[in-house]
Structures are given as structure tokens and as C-alpha cells.
């Protein structure tokens, strides 16, 4: 009888304690969850060099480091660029770590979901300047310029 009670308790726990996120992964696509991902140091740096600080002279963000999650990094060439005619797969995360002097002041990032990019700008303290839930027109206006590779324009200049 004791074993039946333990077995029943274990089965009940397994059936009742499932995470909703496991059933619907899109629930995890929020500014906070993507900020958490940006703050991790596991992402690959542009040209595999964490010391490259790009000028940002060609855009509104300022001086930055460029990083890619593993999904995005797998499609880049050995020169760190997306091949012409190629698109990033769903789940790709492209991160600009924006600096003022030596201080990290902002994460500007793009996350590929269902074939489209979600855009956000979030400060390291969690303050949201542009949410993934907002209209991306302000971002795509610049990122749609000639020579972009799947709406990434950094490859045009660096």
C-alpha cells in the first residue's frame, strides 16, 4: 500500500506540474527574458574577438560590440558575416552592446521569431526604451537600407 501511495504521488506530480512555457515557447519571448539572454557571456563576438569595439558611426546607436547567439553564429562565415542571400534561422539573436566610454549603457537586439525580427532596446538595469511588443518601423526604416543581409546592416560597414 505504501508503494502504491508513493507511485501515485509521483505520477500525479509529473502530470500536474508541467510548465506552460514548455507547451508554448513563445511565452518566453519578452523584453525581460531576452535581456536576460543578452546579459549572458556565452554569445559569440563578431569575428570571434571580444575586444573589437565598432565605431557606430553609421547608425544611431553609438560605439558597440556585436554578438550572436549559437543559432545565429552557426550561419556566419569564418569572417563573421552572413553570406549573401542567406537568412538567419528562427531563434537567432543579434546583440549590440552599446558603450559610452567603457560603460555598457544599452542592449539593442534583434530576435528572429516565426520568420520575422523582433526588436528591442533595453538598458542593463532593465529599463525598456523600445519593447519587442512595439511597432518595429523605427528599426526597419534604417535596417532596410541597401546591402542589408536579413536586415542586419553592420556587415555593410565592418
Amino acid at each position: 500500500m505504501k508503494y502504491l501511495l508513493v507511485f501515485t504521488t509521483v505520477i500525479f506530480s509529473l502530470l500536474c506540474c508541467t510548465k506552460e512555457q514548455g507547451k508554448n515557447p513563445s511565452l518566453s519571448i519578452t523584453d525581460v527574458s531576452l535581456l536576460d539572454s543578452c546579459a549572458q557571456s556565452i554569445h559569440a563576438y563578431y569575428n570571434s574577438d571580444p575586444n573589437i569595439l565598432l565605431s557606430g558611426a553609421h547608425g544611431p546607436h553609438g560605439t558597440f560590440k556585436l554578438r550572436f547567439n549559437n543559432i545565429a553564429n552557426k550561419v556566419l562565415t569564418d569572417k563573421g558575416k552572413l553570406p549573401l542571400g542567406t537568412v538567419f534561422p528562427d531563434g537567432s539573436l543579434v546583440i549590440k552592446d552599446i558603450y559610452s566610454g567603457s560603460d555598457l549603457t544599452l542592449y539593442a537586439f534583434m530576435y528572429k521569431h516565426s520568420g520575422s525580427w523582433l526588436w528591442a532596446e533595453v538598458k542593463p538595469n532593465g529599463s525598456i526604451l523600445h519593447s519587442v511588443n512595439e511597432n518595429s518601423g523605427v528599426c526597419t526604416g534604417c535596417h532596410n537600407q541597401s546591402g542589408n543581409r536579413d536586415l542586419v546592416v553592420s556587415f555593410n560597414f565592418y
Side-chain angles (χ1 to χ4, degrees):
M1 183 68 175
K2 180 178 165 184
Y3 294 111
L4 181 59
L5 181 61
V6 171
F7 178 75
T8 304
T9 303
V10 169
I11 295 300
F12 180 77
S13 296
L14 290 173
L15 293 175
C16 295
C17 296
T18 59
K19 287 185 176 182
E20 183 65 23
Q21 181 178 346
K23 293 179 183 177
N24 186 354
S26 67
L27 292 176
S28 65
I29 303 171
T30 66
D31 297 309
V32 173
S33 65
L34 290 170
L35 171 62
D36 183 54
S37 183
C38 289
Q40 296 178 20
S41 60
I42 60 171
H43 304 296
Y45 284 91
Y46 178 66
N47 275 338
S48 301
D49 188 348
N51 299 311
I52 294 178
L53 197 57
L54 304 167
S55 73
H58 305 285
H61 299 294
T63 305
F64 67 97
K65 292 183 180 183
L66 188 59
R67 296 184 295 140
F68 306 90
N69 71 356
N70 284 339
I71 295 169
N73 194 49
K74 286 181 182 177
V75 296
L76 300 178
T77 67
D78 59 348
K79 300 287 186 193
K81 296 188 179 194
L82 185 68
L84 290 173
T86 302
V87 296
F88 285 102
D90 280 350
S92 293
L93 178 65
V94 180
I95 308 161
K96 277 188 174 179
D97 298 332
I98 312 296
Y99 287 86
S100 177
S102 62
D103 296 327
L104 175 65
T105 59
L106 182 69
Y107 294 109
F109 57 86
M110 314 164 53
Y111 178 76
K112 190 85 168 268
H113 177 67
S114 297
S116 298
W117 288 108
L118 301 174
W119 312 76
E121 292 181 344
V122 182
K123 291 185 176 188
N125 69 5
S127 299
I128 300 167
L129 301 180
H130 182 81
S131 172
V132 294
N133 299 311
E134 294 176 16
N135 183 332
S136 64
V138 69
C139 300
T140 56
C142 182
H143 282 258
N144 215 6
Q145 65 184 273
S146 178
N148 80 77
R149 298 184 190 184
D150 196 16
L151 296 178
V152 177
V153 295
S154 295
F155 302 132
N156 291 358
F157 308 110
Y158 307 103

